[in-house]
Amino acid sequence: MAKTALVVGASGIIGSATAALLVEEGWTVHGLARRPVDQPGVAPVVADLQDAAGTAAALAGIDPDAVFLTTWLRQDSEAENIRVNSAMVKNLLDGLRPTDKARHVALVTGLKHYLGPFEAYGKGALPQTPFREEQGRLDVANFYYAQEDEVFAAAARDGFTWSVHRPHTVIGKAVGNAMNMGTTLAVYATLCRETGRPFRFPGSAAQWEGLTDMTSASQLARHLLWAATTPAAANEDFNVVNGDVFRWKWMWGRIAAWFGLEPAPFDGTILPLAEQMQGDDQIWREIAARENLAEPDLSRLASPWHTDADLGRPIEVVTDMSKSRRMGFTGYQPTDDAFFDLFARLQADRLIP
């Protein structure tokens, strides 16, 4: 039987991959965004989730079997992150009432559930790695927890099932996204190749030497669909990563080789991308004009601050997926392949030369 989905944040890295998979699987897909982009098979829904009345009006007549919440808005403080992002979840779920249809709501958060919000990221007492779902919440305010609480409250009120998905850093394609390591590294490598600057790892020795993992957007999309259609996965929280582990001192060379670069030696000194790429806007505009690229605005492609937060962490971060495996999810994707697939898509779409 055909099913209907509402993908919230459909123009983002996670939302666009999820919408594409659902279309491929034969679902009727509505994609909600403030500024929708053209997506084959996806019916656009224009809404600002901060506007409760406008959201309800935009959702009139849409009665999805599954809702995939893949969006958030970054604010200047965690208190504001909590206020704004919890209200967005509430406005969405209130706007979908009333309904007699059995429904599943999937919420995407992330490993800041274990590492803490940006203001306290990777500091203080942290759970041991690999992170496991039963480790629960830190004793610190976190907008992820506030989002979860809105979903839990609405589920108790309206009777739908839910799942929470915690990816590590997501690799995928989207323009104008605030957290986009893959495209940031592609742009950085392109700038290094253009200017002759060394392709230097910007992060910490702990990240360079330690084990880590990541999550491709396609892997996360498969996990979201699996949880929405697997009864045993109802009302559960899940970590979701690609399934492999690696060290950045290996991956950095793999990425360098893809762009025809030699990786620079790493001496253990942190040199953030925000510093290395400062003032590169004009260089990128010149590259874009010469190569006829689709996006000349560097700020819409690269998010150095977010990549610096990930690669500068002073601790090893790996994630356990045993809970999903025991329930039957077998999806896997090597992380270097995820990077290479993304780089090829960026070239095909004229976002990098």
Side-chain angles (χ1 to χ4, degrees):
M1 182 180 298
K3 292 189 174 182
T4 300
L6 174 66
V7 179
V8 182
S11 61
I13 290 176
I14 300 166
S16 60
T18 303
L21 176 63
L22 291 165
V23 169
E24 182 181 317
E25 293 293 321
W27 288 55
T28 298
V29 181
H30 300 272
L32 186 150
R34 285 180 296 167
R35 293 178 294 274
V37 297
D38 289 336
Q39 296 170 273
V42 179
V45 179
V46 181
D48 182 346
L49 294 180
Q50 296 181 87
D51 177 357
T55 297
L59 294 172
I62 299 174
D63 193 11
D65 299 280
V67 179
F68 301 92
L69 266 161
T70 72
T71 190
W72 71 292
L73 280 177
R74 187 186 182 205
Q75 305 299 310
D76 291 335
S77 69
E78 192 60 19
E80 279 298 289
N81 276 332
I82 290 168
R83 183 186 68 81
V84 170
N85 288 284
S86 63
M88 288 166 59
V89 174
K90 183 178 189 303
N91 291 342
L92 174 80
L93 297 177
D94 286 352
L96 287 169
R97 300 182 77 201
T99 181
D100 295 326
K101 180 181 285 189
R103 176 173 290 159
H104 183 83
V105 174
L107 172 67
V108 177
T109 61
L111 293 196
K112 287 189 289 298
H113 182 94
Y114 308 106
L115 288 162
F118 288 118
E119 292 176 3
Y121 191 62
K123 301 175 183 176
L126 296 171
Q128 290 186 344
T129 58
F131 293 139
R132 293 182 170 88
E133 294 89 347
E134 62 264 27
Q135 290 169 316
R137 296 179 174 184
L138 300 174
D139 186 21
V140 61
N142 189 322
F143 83 87
Y144 283 170
Y145 307 160
Q147 287 181 308
E148 287 182 346
D149 288 343
E150 290 294 343
V151 170
F152 300 158
R157 176 191 70 195
D158 296 338
F160 59 76
T161 60
W162 55 266
S163 56
V164 174
H165 304 255
R166 298 175 188 140
H168 200 163
T169 305
V170 177
I171 303 169
K173 176 181 171 289
V175 176
N177 189 275
M179 300 193 300
N180 195 337
M181 179 189 285
T183 304
T184 298
L185 293 181
V187 168
Y188 173 60
T190 302
L191 287 165
C192 288
R193 189 174 60 193
E194 174 78 11
T195 62
R197 298 196 309 238
F199 185 63
R200 186 191 186 284
F201 183 71
S204 67
Q207 290 299 301
W208 180 254
E209 296 286 348
L211 290 172
T212 193
D213 49 26
M214 292 182 73
T215 309
S216 75
S218 58
Q219 170 82 334
L220 179 51
R222 290 190 294 269
H223 195 265
L224 287 162
L225 178 57
W226 166 79
T229 55
T230 301
N235 305 327
E236 297 284 351
D237 53 354
F238 297 103
N239 298 327
V240 51
V241 287
N242 287 335
D244 64 340
V245 294
F246 63 91
R247 302 180 199 277
W248 272 106
K249 66 180 180 181
W250 174 81
M251 185 67 77
W252 200 249
R254 298 280 287 162
I255 293 173
W258 199 94
F259 285 93
L261 297 168
E262 287 292 330
F266 178 66
D267 63 5
T269 304
I270 295 176
L271 185 58
L273 288 180
E275 294 181 16
Q276 294 193 55
M277 298 173 70
Q278 189 172 14
D280 281 343
D281 301 72
Q282 182 57 37
I283 296 174
W284 186 258
R285 281 191 290 270
E286 292 169 1
I287 296 172
R290 186 187 71 221
E291 303 291 341
N292 193 30
L293 300 183
E295 182 51 72
D297 186 347
L298 181 63
S299 68
R300 285 183 50 76
L301 292 174
S303 49
W305 69 272
H306 177 258
T307 300
D308 288 338
D310 272 9
L311 298 184
R313 289 182 301 215
I315 58 173
E316 180 179 273
V317 176
V318 286
T319 311
D320 183 78
M321 270 194 75
S322 296
K323 185 175 183 179
S324 294
R325 302 303 189 203
R326 289 186 177 111
M327 290 184 180
F329 180 76
T330 59
Y332 170 83
Q333 183 175 14
T335 299
D336 51 346
D337 285 354
F339 274 121
F340 300 159
D341 289 349
L342 170 64
F343 300 156
R345 287 186 65 197
L346 293 174
Q347 279 192 336
D349 291 343
R350 305 303 305 159
L351 290 168
I352 62 172

